[in-house]
Amino acid sequence: MRLKRKMSFILLSVLLLAYGCGDKIEPGATASKPAKAVAVRAAVAQMTMRPDIYEAVGSVVAQTASTVSAKVMGTVTAVYVREGETIRQGAVLLAIDDRQVSAQLQQAQAGLAEARQAEVAARSTREAALAGLVLARATHNRYLRLIQDESVSRQEFDEVEARRNQAEAVFKQADAMVEAVRRKIQQAEAGVAAAAVSKKDAAIRAPYNGVVTARMVEPGDLAAPGKPLFILEKEGGMRVDATVPEAHIKAVRPGQKLTVTLPARQSRVLEGTVQGIVPGADPRSRSFIVKVDLPADAVVSTGRFARIAIPLGDTPLLLIPSSAVVPQGQLTGIYLLDPDGIARFRLIRTGRKMDDQVEVLSGLPEGSRYVPAPPPALVDGSRVEVDA
């Protein structure tokens, strides 16, 4: 009994000592040490004047592209090229059965030979008529002197004069026949030339150096004038046809140098030249087609996607380093620093990326202090220590 009283006295003394020497400790809680401040760098959000660029999208096309068709009708006997094949100017692309045009050429040549023979006969007839006319004129001149001297009768003179008039008419008729034969010769020569061209057109040749991008014919098909056979693109000349809205078309002018990016070619960048602007706008999209020529040495195929950067002037932008942006699921945010040295996580809405910077559209007031490179230990509500 005495021992229990002694133990109760000792326990009461310890509790009184603890109460008088320390702070009051709430039941169920222990005293915690203050969190260590996180060392960070600070930056101030400021507006920056940067060039405002509009990216117009378009497609790569050939500066010169042609649809090749036949000029004569006939059966295709051979096709010598395929899609993607490089061709040289004058190379034979296709052959057409030329038996019909060969027959037409032979017929035209025979008609020309006949006309030339007729010319020889007509010239002979005219020479004979000319000789008769000369004789009739000489006889008429002699009888004209004789009639003045009354050495011949009037009837004899009239007969001589009639023979002269007849000779003149015969000569005119022979001369007209020669002219008619000459015209026939000209027509026959034109027929021969046309038939020769048709025979030449039976072999279709490349109009320039280029690439066959499409082949729509096979041996045995019927070729006809106007029916497409091949599509060719001239080498060494590519351009981008881009769509530019009406609001930005004033920023484009012929001869202007613009940056062209080809995303499919590892974002290859080329310098293009504005070749022209299609004057008519699309009434539905209110946009214009801008044609930008690529460098002559640019090796790129048609149909590729391209972007054209059109400068619109300088504009104020709120830019921060990309390292300052912290992803939170599908959202993005940034750590702001309040006057008490506490980091606060705030959501922001970002825009375009420019090199190692990103545009902030909302959520970051100008003049705010933020953390440009948050360390892994930084969380919302962390006390920070700003590095000098």
Side-chain angles (χ1 to χ4, degrees), residues 170-194:
V170 171
F171 176 76
K172 289 181 179 179
Q173 183 178 4
D175 190 59
M177 185 177 296
V178 171
E179 290 298 324
V181 172
R182 284 178 179 173
R183 287 192 294 270
K184 288 184 178 181
I185 290 176
Q186 292 176 353
Q187 294 176 355
E189 289 175 345
V192 171

Side-chain angles (χ1 to χ4, degrees), residues 374-387:
L378 188 65
V379 295
D380 183 42
S382 296
R383 183 174 298 278
V384 299
E385 180 180 348
V386 178
D387 292 342

Side-chain angles (χ1 to χ4, degrees), residues 120-307:
V120 173
R123 287 181 180 275
S124 299
T125 301
R126 188 180 66 172
E127 290 176 357
L130 178 61
L133 176 60
V134 171
L135 177 60
R137 284 177 177 174
T139 302
H140 180 268
N141 291 334
R142 288 196 302 271
Y143 271 74
L144 185 61
R145 291 193 296 271
L146 292 175
I147 193 64
Q148 292 175 354
D149 297 338
E150 297 182 355
S151 299
V152 293
S153 65
R154 187 67 188 181
Q155 182 178 355
E156 291 175 333
F157 176 79
D158 290 343
E159 291 176 356
V160 170
E161 188 173 30
R163 285 195 294 270
R164 185 205 64 177
N165 294 337
Q166 184 179 5
E168 289 181 349
V170 171
F171 176 76
K172 289 181 179 179
Q173 183 178 4
D175 190 59
M177 185 177 296
V178 171
E179 290 298 324
V181 172
R182 284 178 179 173
R183 287 192 294 270
K184 288 184 178 181
I185 290 176
Q186 292 176 353
Q187 294 176 355
E189 289 175 345
V192 171
V197 170
S198 297
K199 182 175 177 61
K200 185 178 178 181
D201 289 339
I204 298 179
R205 299 178 181 273
Y208 43 68
N209 300 340
V211 178
V212 180
T213 58
R215 165 178 158 175
M216 296 87 79
V217 63
E218 297 294 336
D221 291 347
L222 180 64
K227 180 181 179 181
L229 303 176
F230 303 97
I231 295 179
L232 308 181
E233 293 180 355
K234 191 174 184 179
E235 69 177 14
M238 294 292 177
R239 74 167 189 262
V240 175
D241 287 354
T243 303
V244 179
E246 184 179 8
H248 301 323
I249 195 62
K250 291 184 178 180
V252 183
R253 63 184 184 279
Q256 183 180 7
K257 302 292 183 180
L258 296 177
T259 301
V260 180
T261 305
L262 303 173
R265 298 289 299 273
Q266 290 75 43
S267 296
R268 184 182 178 188
V269 178
L270 302 173
E271 185 181 58
T273 305
V274 178
Q275 182 265 335
I277 304 171
V278 177
D282 187 341
R284 291 173 295 181
S285 61
R286 308 297 179 188
S287 59
F288 293 80
I289 300 297
V290 176
K291 301 178 182 294
V292 180
D293 290 344
L294 298 179
D297 58 350
V299 181
V300 57
S301 57
T302 58
R304 289 189 178 273
F305 178 77
R307 289 191 179 95

